[in-house]
Amino acid sequence: MSKKRIFNIKMANFLISNGAELLEARQGEVKDKPERVTFLFKNDERLSKALLNFKKI
């Protein structure tokens, strides 16, 4: 299973509300900003549709 990393919380919330499957949220992966969260999504058709909806905005 492949995963897609998202670093922006607003985009992560949008993807979740549009049906993308959030697998995990990790903290401390962003260099020089350990407080930032990385969101891991399942890279599938639902994520692709949610990303297309985001581009339409």
Side-chain angles (χ1 to χ4, degrees), residues 1-50:
M1 168 179 45
S2 66
K3 300 174 186 174
K4 176 80 173 170
R5 282 185 161 82
I6 302 295
F7 298 98
N8 185 303
I9 193 167
K10 289 181 182 180
M11 182 172 207
N13 285 331
F14 179 85
L15 295 175
I16 292 167
S17 67
N18 278 269
E21 183 180 347
L22 177 66
L23 298 175
E24 187 178 354
R26 297 180 182 172
Q27 195 168 3
E29 288 190 343
V30 179
K31 188 177 180 180
D32 298 328
K33 294 184 181 182
E35 72 282 352
R36 296 288 301 265
V37 178
T38 302
F39 302 92
L40 297 176
F41 285 89
K42 184 177 180 183
N43 196 3
D44 61 1
E45 187 175 330
R46 291 177 7 189
L47 177 63
S48 295
K49 287 181 182 178

